[in-house]
Amino acid sequence: MFLEIMAPAYPFCFTMIVSISNLAKCIVSVAGGATRAALTVHQARRNNMADVSAKDGSQETLVNLAGLLVSLLMLPLVSGYASLSLGCFFLFTALHIYANYRAVRALVMETLNESRLELVLKQFLQRGKMLNPTAANQLEPLWTGFWPSVSLSLGVPLHRLISSVSELQRLVEGHQQPYLLSWNRTRNQVQVVLSPTAGPEAILRAAIHGLLFGALQEDGLLPRELAELRPLVRAGPEKNNWVLIRETHQVMDKLFPMFLKGLKAVGWKTDKHHLEVDEWRATWPGAAEKKDL
C-alpha cells in the first residue's frame, strides 16, 4: 500500500513500483490464507469449521464496510494534503499491526510446532516440569530471527542419511522405531527419515529425539541419562555419532512415555501437530509395524 501511495511521485518507474506492490500483495494473500485456515481449524471446537469460516467472513465484510464509510468521511478532509494523508496512513498501519500483534498473543494453540516443542522440552529436561499450552504460547517468539538450537528436518529422503548398506545397518541397529535419524555435527543439523507407518506420535518422538542433540550441546541441567552422554557429544569425531544415536534411542525409550504422558496431562493435543514434515517416506528391514510408538 505504501508503494502504491508513493508510485505517482516516481513516474519514470511507476510500472515497476506498482508491479512490486502487487507481487507483495500476492505473497501476503498466500501467507494470510494459510494462517487463516490454521486459525479456523483451531477455533472450530465442535468440528464446525464451515460455521466458523462463515462467521469470520461475515465479520470481515462488516468491518470492511465500516472502513469504507469512514474513509469516505475522511477523504474530503485529507485531500490535497500529502503530509496529512501519509500521517494518517502510518498511524492506521501502526494501529493495524499492533492489533494483529495483540490478537496473535491472545491465541493459545494446544498443538505443538517446533518452537513450542523446544520450549516445553527444555523446561521438562532442565526443571522436570511441563509447560501448559498457555505458558508455552506466551513464551513462543513471534518475530523472525528465532533460531532453534539445532536444525531439524523431518521426512527427508533416505539418501541424505546413508550412502551404503553398512550405514543403514548401523542406523537400524538397536531399535524398532519407524524413523531413522542422523546428526551432522558440522552443520548442527538433524535429519530424520520416516517410515510410511509413522503416525503423529512417532513423528513427535522423532522431533524430540532430534532436539535432544541441541540440549546436549548446551550447559543447562539434564536428566542423568542424558548428562552421561555429554562426553560423547564433546569428543568431536564424527565416528561417535553412531554410538550417540544408539544411546539416545535407549534414553528416548525411557524419556518419551513420561514426556507424552505429561503433555496430555497439562492439555496438549498429541494426536496432531504443526511440525514441518516433508512427504518423503522409506521402508527398511526391521521397521516397526505400529503407527504410533
Side-chain angles (χ1 to χ4, degrees):
M1 291 173 67
F2 177 70
L3 289 174
E4 288 178 344
I5 291 173
M6 297 304 297
Y10 302 93
F12 57 91
C13 55
F14 178 86
T15 303
M16 183 181 69
I17 293 175
V18 173
S19 298
I20 294 173
S21 171
N22 282 310
L23 177 62
K25 284 184 178 180
C26 292
I27 295 172
V28 170
S29 176
V30 173
T35 305
R36 172 172 295 188
L39 295 182
T40 302
V41 172
H42 167 69
Q43 293 169 341
R45 299 290 176 162
R46 303 175 185 173
N47 294 322
N48 56 339
M49 186 172 174
D51 184 42
V52 173
S53 180
K55 290 178 178 177
D56 177 57
S58 299
Q59 291 176 1
E60 184 178 9
T61 301
L62 181 62
V63 170
N64 287 337
L65 179 60
L68 176 62
L69 294 175
V70 173
S71 65
L72 290 175
L73 294 174
M74 289 189 63
L75 263 175
L77 302 177
V78 300
S79 296
Y81 302 97
S83 59
L84 184 57
S85 298
L86 281 175
C88 290
F89 169 75
F90 287 122
L91 173 62
F92 291 129
T93 299
L95 288 174
H96 173 74
I97 294 173
Y98 177 73
N100 275 274
Y101 170 79
R102 295 291 297 177
V104 172
R105 271 302 182 201
L107 282 171
V108 178
M109 307 289 284
E110 296 94 353
T111 48
L112 291 161
N113 60 8
E114 187 174 340
S115 60
R116 289 193 287 272
L117 177 60
E118 185 168 12
L119 287 168
V120 175
L121 182 61
K122 281 185 176 179
Q123 187 80 2
F124 176 76
L125 294 177
Q126 295 177 0
R127 301 185 180 180
K129 298 180 180 179
M130 188 68 63
L131 284 177
N132 59 41
T134 302
N137 277 266
Q138 290 298 317
L139 293 174
E140 182 185 8
L142 296 180
W143 310 109
T144 57
F146 169 71
W147 297 102
S149 57
V150 65
S151 175
L152 179 65
S153 300
L154 299 169
V156 302
L158 184 61
H159 66 80
R160 290 193 187 177
L161 266 66
I162 62 169
S163 57
S164 65
V165 176
S166 61
E167 290 184 356
L168 177 60
Q169 291 173 341
R170 281 189 286 184
L171 276 178
V172 174
E173 181 183 1
H175 73 91
Q176 294 289 325
Q177 300 302 325
Y179 67 88
L180 301 176
L181 179 144
S182 177
W183 178 38
N184 186 316
R185 299 193 189 193
T186 305
R187 298 180 180 178
N188 197 21
Q189 182 180 45
V190 174
Q191 295 184 316
V192 180
V193 173
L194 297 172
S195 165
T197 60
E201 287 188 8
I203 295 173
L204 183 62
R205 173 181 168 130
I208 294 169
H209 194 167
L211 293 174
L212 283 184
F213 292 99
L216 285 170
Q217 297 176 81
E218 298 176 356
D219 296 327
L221 294 174
L222 290 177
R224 180 179 56 82
E225 298 87 349
L226 277 176
E228 290 175 353
L229 299 179
R230 274 180 168 160
L232 279 176
V233 176
R234 293 168 180 172
E238 290 287 339
K239 64 182 180 181
N240 289 336
N241 274 8
W242 307 107
V243 178
L244 186 60
I245 290 170
R246 185 172 64 250
E247 294 293 330
T248 51
H249 267 294
Q250 296 176 6
V251 172
M252 284 296 298
D253 289 338
K254 300 177 182 178
L255 179 70
F256 182 68
M258 293 187 297
F259 186 76
L260 187 64
K261 183 179 179 180
L263 287 176
K264 294 177 180 179
V266 297
W268 290 101
K269 294 181 179 179
T270 58
D271 56 341
K272 55 184 177 180
H273 56 76
H274 286 152
L275 297 167
E276 294 185 19
V277 184
D278 208 344
E279 298 303 320
W280 293 94
R281 297 293 183 270
T283 303
W284 58 89
E289 295 181 358
K290 292 184 178 180
K291 289 187 177 181
D292 288 89
L293 296 178

